[in-house]
Amino acid sequence: MADIQRYLLKADNDGTGAEQIAKGTAHKLQNEDISLIELVQSLGDYINDEDFSIRSKAITYLSQVISALPDNTLSRQQVQVLCQFLCDRIEDGGAVGGLRKLQSLGCFNREMTVMTFRALTEHFQDLMIRPYSQRLPILELLNDLMLKHRAALKSLGDEAIVGITDLVSGEKDPRSLMIIFSVLRVIMPLFDSVFCYFPITFRPPPDDPFRITAQDLKARLRNCISASSLFAPFAFPQLIEKLDSTSSNVKKDVLQTLAACASSYSVGVVSNYSVTLWDSLKYEILNVQEEDVAEDALFALQAIATRLGKGITSTGQTTHLARYLRPIAKECNEQLQAPQHKQARPAGRILCSLATISPIAQYLIVKAVVPPLLTLYQGTDKIANQRALLEVLVQLYDAAVALGQTPDVSLPSPDFENPLSLFKDRFFGLFSQALMSTPSEEVSFRIVALKGLLRLCHIPNYLQNGEVGLFVQYLDEIVLSADSAGDDAVRTEAVLALVEISKLKPNLIVEITFPAFMAKLPDQATEQQTDTILTLEGLARLSVERSISDTMVRRLLSKLDTVLQTDGPASYAQALLSTIDYVLSRRELSADPNLLNYHEKIVLSLVRRAAMASVGSGPPMLAEVLSLEILGRLAAKIIGALDEHMQRSIAIERYKLFTKEGTSFSPISYTHIPPEKRRLAMILSTWILAGAAKAAATLPTVLDGEVDIRKLLDELTRWATIESNPVIRLYILRQIALLVNRASSPDVDSGAFAIMQDPLKAAQLEVDSAKDVTPVIFWIAKALLLRLSRVEDVVGHILGLLSDEVYGSTSARGFRILFTSDEVVSKKHGAAIRLLFKQRVFSICAPRIAAEFKLAKAALKPNYLVALSGLLKDVPTNIMMMEIGTLLPLLLQSLDLPDQEVKAATIESLVTISQESPAAVEGHMSMLINRLLLCAADPKENTVNVRQSAMRCLRAFPGRVKESVLLPFRSATVRGILPVLDDPKRHVRKAAVECRAAWLNMDEPDAEN
């Protein structure tokens, strides 16, 4: 069977197979197994068949064979013959693909180009009524001819223009339009054929396989319209006319196209239309209705100025740029005569945007606008008018800053002077007076003045160091004074300004601000510390640059040393420590050259003094719980940045706390329990252990010379079980968890699990001596589960405790410990935390809690509900949703418990379930609504958090749960919400209003139904 026959058999049902047959024929032709004449003859009667589809398939077969041939296979004569043959058969379809291949060959000459183009135009009426899939290759062929054989087409003159117009007219398909816009971009006389498509209103279908967006078409059409200055007489008038459209999308298209035209048309052409364009564009800015339209109009003005200013080095008034800016400056000056008018601020925006174009544009704007502005300012006594004028000046400063930060902007000449320099003294005096001499009640006016002076500091090479230093003194005075109204807002801006200046001139902050701030800090703690706290907050915010933070830490440590030698409230020392901690938290301490100094002065010195304070031989301020926590956190931060060797040597001292032998401080001992003040030192011991994360694997567990970690854990367990101070107990438990979690060895795991099974035996205590053993059990469980060690054993043991009549209720509350993040037992401090530990533990716990709940005694059932709520509080949503079918019945019963924390956690879980899986709650809607209304109704029994969460949960149902499910409950729900509208707490009432509105807005069921 001949190849053509096989091709025809497959063409309809197997396009890929048919194409492979054509490629096989091409391979034969390349190897000279058949000749080109034989190939054409093999088509025989198929190309003359009365059936159009057979003729089309035969021609398509020939085209695919030609397309599969290498470029050097056909001779010039063969290309000529094939071109003639395909052009004669172009109306049969299928010939276009072959012609596209032929035109890409080097031997395709002018005569062939003309022949192909005329074949297209002579049959355009027949070709262009065909389906889109057949029209697109025709337009692609036209585009190929324009790209590679444009000279040949150009020689046809008007014939080419008319022919192309016929081929492209009336096209609406987006893929075809993308090609048409590319073709018409290089044909000047066809502007009307292009502009008829403006503006593009195409919206692609959701399942569009071609992914051509409206923005793609707009960009291609915009490039076409802006292709040549010859379009200007047609483009500008029609674009300006379309600005009258009420559609913001049309206006944005027009403005973006105007900007593109201004950027590509010649300078002379743009200059001729510049004033006309300004008259049209100014309305969109001065009478702004939509911000994005105004932004596009400003961009268009900038594009015109950029084009007119290209290559200009003169500030003369006869340049294209000067003639363009002159009417703009005049109009804006007129608008600024009434500073409070709504068009004054947009006028300032126009001036600012144009002043950022170039130094020449800035010069022309400043010279035309600043003198009248200063005259206006001096002539008005109204603060509101003065503020509006200062805001315009600030906008001009913004333009100067932006211009100075633009990397590719060059000065017209080496001696070109910033035009703002002529007014520097007046500016500085005017803004300084507005900032410091205006009544403090004029907050907004002072803030504008402050921002203006800050902008002057940012303008390159503008203010001298002395002037910036004077501004810094102003800011210091504002921050440190608290006598006048509105100080909070102005003080906040002043601190932010000091932070900005610290990046520009850090030496001025060190020389001026630090002495002023440190002088404001007292040497002795007092009861009234508002000013002190504000000063420390300001210092903390300034710790941006390293040179500044180094100096700050040294001076704060010196001040802390002075304060610790006095008597008074510990809150002052705590504030100083917190400030140092904040400053160091913003530093990369591991690369800090002062790290060893911090180690010496904070870790060794302050920790030692705190240890001595715990036995009455050191500063009492350091013996407070909060002081020890802040100092411990700070010490851990510094220790964590040290190398492993130093961490090990420090951690060995965690119970001695760097005290020397012979002092009144003695390390923790197995033999006796010291007084509470002495036991507070365990806070520091825990933080030191946490900080030594790098040395965790090889860390000796020294306690009275012992290195047996099991004995250490037993002793710490004893301490934790008899400790009455909850803070000390928490830190002991954290230390136990860190030791167990980091050790990661079978012996440690076995010992830890043994303690879990019988904490009293490990602690060698009688039942009556223990305060509560469940925290020890759950902190050890947390330590093991974090690294997924002995998961089944640990989970089985803690779940078994829920059925214990003695420890069941306290054990249930302990479940919240398992998943709650802890700042000490964390990855940052070397804890081993497996990525999927929550998923693994929850997938075991949830089904077992549900199963054991059904079998438990009635008195013990609440234990399982409390335990479940403790887990859900911190479990990720995606993990919770995996067990939703098991958990939902238990959650509903949890709403009946008196425990308010359990209720709140349960309701939050229900909110999540309602949002993520509304179908899951549909079958329980009656019970759920009744319980939530009860939780929201009684302020005496339910906390604010529970009542608000209940309203939020009810509010989540409408819009998510099917209305057919909710509508039967609507009336009862709305009535149940009414009492909550009178709740004593405002945010509960607000939640109730929103909830009631959501339920009322649901559609009523059809009356007939």
Side-chain angles (χ1 to χ4, degrees), residues 811-918:
S811 298
R813 290 192 293 271
F815 273 78
R816 71 187 64 177
I817 296 171
L818 299 179
F819 289 167
T820 302
S821 299
D822 186 76
E823 64 172 331
V824 176
V825 186
S826 64
K827 276 194 172 183
K828 181 174 68 173
H829 293 134
I833 302 177
R834 298 286 290 274
L835 185 62
L836 299 178
F837 94 92
K838 287 186 179 181
Q839 182 173 348
R840 173 83 184 280
V841 174
F842 189 76
S843 65
I844 298 173
C845 284
R848 290 188 56 177
I849 288 176
E852 293 179 18
F853 173 81
K854 296 176 182 179
L855 303 175
K857 298 178 181 178
L860 299 176
K861 284 182 181 290
N863 295 346
Y864 294 89
L865 300 177
V866 173
L868 179 61
S869 72
L871 293 175
L872 291 175
K873 184 175 180 291
D874 294 289
V875 76
T877 301
N878 59 331
I879 298 175
M880 177 180 67
M881 298 305 297
M882 295 168 61
E883 304 289 342
I884 187 60
T886 305
L887 300 178
L888 194 55
L890 299 184
L891 292 175
L892 292 173
Q893 296 186 56
S894 297
L895 295 177
D896 297 331
L897 297 177
D899 191 316
Q900 297 298 300
E901 288 188 24
V902 172
K903 277 187 180 181
T906 301
I907 294 173
E908 289 300 321
S909 300
L910 289 170
V911 171
T912 302
I913 295 170
S914 302
Q915 294 171 343
E916 299 292 332
S917 180

Side-chain angles (χ1 to χ4, degrees), residues 610-620 623 664 677:
M612 298 306 297
S614 68
V615 293
S617 300
S664 56
K677 278 281 188 182

Side-chain angles (χ1 to χ4, degrees), residues 54 136 141 302 326 360 504 553 578 670 702 757:
I54 294 178
L136 181 63
L141 174 58
Q302 288 180 311
R326 193 179 302 123
I360 297 294
L504 301 171
V553 172
S578 296
Y670 289 124
V702 177
Q757 290 178 306

Side-chain angles (χ1 to χ4, degrees), residues 294-580:
E295 288 289 341
D296 285 335
L298 283 172
F299 183 76
L301 287 179
Q302 288 180 311
I304 297 169
T306 301
R307 187 61 175 156
L308 296 179
K310 190 173 182 61
I312 292 179
T313 59
S314 169
T315 57
Q317 296 297 312
T318 59
T319 62
H320 292 303
L321 180 61
R323 289 201 299 268
Y324 170 62
L325 294 178
R326 193 179 302 123
I328 296 177
K330 180 181 178 183
E331 176 79 23
C332 291
N333 277 332
E334 291 174 359
Q335 298 295 342
L336 293 172
Q337 293 296 316
Q340 287 296 295
H341 194 271
K342 65 178 183 179
Q343 293 182 337
R345 186 183 294 272
R349 289 182 65 188
I350 293 171
L351 296 172
C352 174
S353 65
L354 293 174
T356 60
I357 298 301
S358 67
I360 297 294
Q362 181 196 24
Y363 180 89
L364 294 171
I365 292 290
V366 169
K367 294 286 283 186
V369 173
V370 170
L373 275 180
L374 293 176
T375 303
L376 273 174
Y377 185 88
Q378 297 297 333
T380 182
D381 295 330
K382 293 183 177 179
I383 294 292
N385 288 344
Q386 290 180 341
R387 183 183 67 246
L389 294 172
L390 289 188
E391 287 174 345
V392 176
L393 288 176
V394 171
Q395 288 178 308
L396 290 177
Y397 300 160
D398 286 332
V401 173
L403 194 61
Q405 294 174 347
T406 305
D408 55 348
V409 171
S410 57
L411 296 177
S413 61
D415 58 346
F416 185 83
E417 186 179 8
N418 187 335
L420 294 173
S421 299
L422 299 173
F423 309 97
K424 183 179 75 170
D425 294 339
R426 294 187 66 184
F427 285 157
F428 193 81
L430 184 149
F431 278 91
S432 297
Q433 182 181 16
L435 176 63
M436 303 306 294
S437 301
T438 304
S440 57
E441 291 80 6
E442 300 293 343
V443 176
S444 60
F445 184 47
R446 297 182 68 201
I447 289 176
V448 171
L450 188 152
K451 290 182 177 179
L453 287 170
L454 182 60
R455 298 299 191 280
L456 292 179
C457 295
H458 277 87
I459 298 175
N461 304 318
Y462 192 67
L463 293 182
Q464 301 296 322
N465 271 358
E467 293 166 323
V468 179
L470 184 57
F471 178 44
V472 170
Q473 292 180 39
Y474 294 158
L475 297 174
D476 293 345
E477 183 178 341
I478 292 170
V479 174
L480 297 177
S481 65
D483 299 331
S484 49
D487 264 357
D488 288 344
V490 181
R491 183 184 292 110
T492 300
E493 293 294 334
V495 171
L496 294 175
L498 285 171
V499 172
E500 289 295 315
I501 294 174
S502 71
K503 301 174 184 176
L504 301 171
K505 306 278 186 181
N507 59 309
L508 294 180
I509 300 298
V510 173
E511 295 169 3
I512 300 173
T513 300
F514 276 6
F517 275 55
M518 297 306 295
K520 192 74 173 177
L521 295 176
D523 291 337
Q524 185 171 1
T526 59
E527 293 294 337
Q528 181 60 35
Q529 296 185 12
T530 304
D531 291 350
T532 301
I533 298 301
L534 290 174
T535 303
L536 288 173
E537 286 179 357
L539 283 170
R541 298 284 292 275
L542 289 174
S543 60
V544 178
E545 297 297 316
R546 199 181 79 178
S547 59
I548 292 178
S549 61
D550 288 344
T551 304
M552 185 182 301
V553 172
R554 286 197 304 271
R555 297 193 180 185
L556 289 175
L557 285 172
S558 176
K559 179 65 69 173
L560 177 63
D561 185 64
T562 302
V563 171
L564 291 178
Q565 297 175 26
T566 64
D567 295 328
S571 56
Y572 185 23
Q574 293 162 3
L576 287 168
L577 283 169
S578 296
T579 306
I580 296 170

Side-chain angles (χ1 to χ4, degrees), residues 758-985:
D758 194 349
L760 294 178
K761 180 180 178 182
Q764 297 181 355
L765 294 172
E766 299 295 333
V767 175
D768 296 340
S769 303
K771 301 292 182 184
D772 188 3
V773 297
T774 51
V776 175
I777 296 172
F778 279 91
W779 276 94
I780 293 178
K782 180 186 183 76
L784 293 172
L785 293 176
L786 283 174
R787 53 183 169 88
L788 293 179
S789 178
R790 301 191 65 161
V791 176
E792 294 287 347
D793 294 338
V794 172
V795 171
H797 180 67
I798 58 178
L799 287 176
L801 293 175
L802 296 176
S803 59
D804 190 291
E805 296 185 358
V806 177
Y807 295 115
S809 61
T810 55
S811 298
R813 290 192 293 271
F815 273 78
R816 71 187 64 177
I817 296 171
L818 299 179
F819 289 167
T820 302
S821 299
D822 186 76
E823 64 172 331
V824 176
V825 186
S826 64
K827 276 194 172 183
K828 181 174 68 173
H829 293 134
I833 302 177
R834 298 286 290 274
L835 185 62
L836 299 178
F837 94 92
K838 287 186 179 181
Q839 182 173 348
R840 173 83 184 280
V841 174
F842 189 76
S843 65
I844 298 173
C845 284
R848 290 188 56 177
I849 288 176
E852 293 179 18
F853 173 81
K854 296 176 182 179
L855 303 175
K857 298 178 181 178
L860 299 176
K861 284 182 181 290
N863 295 346
Y864 294 89
L865 300 177
V866 173
L868 179 61
S869 72
L871 293 175
L872 291 175
K873 184 175 180 291
D874 294 289
V875 76
T877 301
N878 59 331
I879 298 175
M880 177 180 67
M881 298 305 297
M882 295 168 61
E883 304 289 342
I884 187 60
T886 305
L887 300 178
L888 194 55
L890 299 184
L891 292 175
L892 292 173
Q893 296 186 56
S894 297
L895 295 177
D896 297 331
L897 297 177
D899 191 316
Q900 297 298 300
E901 288 188 24
V902 172
K903 277 187 180 181
T906 301
I907 294 173
E908 289 300 321
S909 300
L910 289 170
V911 171
T912 302
I913 295 170
S914 302
Q915 294 171 343
E916 299 292 332
S917 180
V921 300
E922 289 179 358
H924 307 274
M925 198 52 63
S926 177
M927 292 185 294
L928 189 53
I929 291 174
N930 291 334
R931 283 175 165 85
L932 288 172
L933 288 174
L934 289 174
C935 290
D938 192 346
K940 295 180 179 178
E941 292 188 6
N942 299 301
T943 63
V944 174
N945 188 25
V946 169
R947 302 198 306 274
Q948 185 180 11
S949 296
M951 286 292 98
R952 284 181 54 245
C953 189
L954 280 171
R955 169 67 182 84
F957 297 154
R960 291 185 174 88
V961 179
K962 293 178 183 177
E963 287 194 355
S964 59
V965 175
L966 294 180
L967 284 172
F969 305 101
R970 186 170 72 164
S971 298
T973 303
V974 171
R975 286 195 304 270
I977 295 172
L978 286 175
V980 191
L981 297 174
D982 297 324
D983 194 276
K985 295 297 181 179

Side-chain angles (χ1 to χ4, degrees), residues 549-818:
S549 61
D550 288 344
T551 304
M552 185 182 301
V553 172
R554 286 197 304 271
R555 297 193 180 185
L556 289 175
L557 285 172
S558 176
K559 179 65 69 173
L560 177 63
D561 185 64
T562 302
V563 171
L564 291 178
Q565 297 175 26
T566 64
D567 295 328
S571 56
Y572 185 23
Q574 293 162 3
L576 287 168
L577 283 169
S578 296
T579 306
I580 296 170
D581 182 45
Y582 176 81
V583 173
L584 293 185
S585 68
R586 304 174 74 181
R587 302 281 297 273
E588 184 58 47
L589 286 177
S590 59
D592 197 312
N594 296 305
L595 179 60
L596 294 180
N597 184 45
Y598 300 149
H599 165 247
E600 175 68 30
K601 292 189 175 181
I602 297 175
V603 176
L604 299 184
S605 178
L606 285 179
V607 170
R608 183 187 301 119
R609 294 175 73 180
M612 298 306 297
S614 68
V615 293
S617 300
M621 296 181 187
L622 291 181
E624 300 285 339
V625 170
L626 184 57
S627 301
L628 292 170
E629 287 191 296
I630 299 170
L631 178 57
R633 192 177 293 111
L634 177 58
K637 197 176 276 96
I638 296 169
I639 294 169
L642 297 169
D643 59 44
E644 182 179 346
H645 174 73
M646 292 195 68
Q647 284 190 7
R648 190 181 300 110
S649 63
I650 291 172
I652 291 173
E653 297 281 333
R654 68 183 183 275
Y655 297 124
K656 296 180 180 179
L657 298 179
F658 315 108
T659 56
K660 299 178 181 179
E661 293 184 6
T663 62
S664 56
F665 182 89
S666 58
I668 293 173
S669 170
Y670 289 124
T671 56
H672 67 283
I673 301 297
E676 181 176 312
K677 278 281 188 182
R678 170 64 188 83
R679 299 199 305 274
L680 283 171
M682 286 297 287
I683 296 174
L684 293 175
S685 300
T686 302
W687 277 113
I688 291 172
L689 177 66
K694 297 174 187 174
T698 58
L699 185 63
T701 54
V702 177
L703 182 65
D704 274 3
E706 295 287 346
V707 294
D708 181 6
I709 189 171
R710 175 62 189 274
K711 190 171 183 181
L712 174 62
L713 290 175
D714 289 346
E715 182 63 15
L716 290 174
T717 300
R718 183 167 72 95
W719 280 49
T721 51
I722 64 175
E723 180 58 62
S724 58
N725 186 311
V727 176
I728 299 175
R729 184 194 306 141
L730 173 62
Y731 276 93
I732 297 172
L733 293 169
R734 284 170 163 174
Q735 192 168 153
I736 292 171
L738 270 178
L739 289 169
V740 172
N741 179 268
R742 285 174 172 180
S744 186
S745 71
D747 291 340
V748 173
D749 291 357
S750 299
F753 188 67
I755 295 175
M756 281 184 60
Q757 290 178 306
D758 194 349
L760 294 178
K761 180 180 178 182
Q764 297 181 355
L765 294 172
E766 299 295 333
V767 175
D768 296 340
S769 303
K771 301 292 182 184
D772 188 3
V773 297
T774 51
V776 175
I777 296 172
F778 279 91
W779 276 94
I780 293 178
K782 180 186 183 76
L784 293 172
L785 293 176
L786 283 174
R787 53 183 169 88
L788 293 179
S789 178
R790 301 191 65 161
V791 176
E792 294 287 347
D793 294 338
V794 172
V795 171
H797 180 67
I798 58 178
L799 287 176
L801 293 175
L802 296 176
S803 59
D804 190 291
E805 296 185 358
V806 177
Y807 295 115
S809 61
T810 55
S811 298
R813 290 192 293 271
F815 273 78
R816 71 187 64 177
I817 296 171
L818 299 179

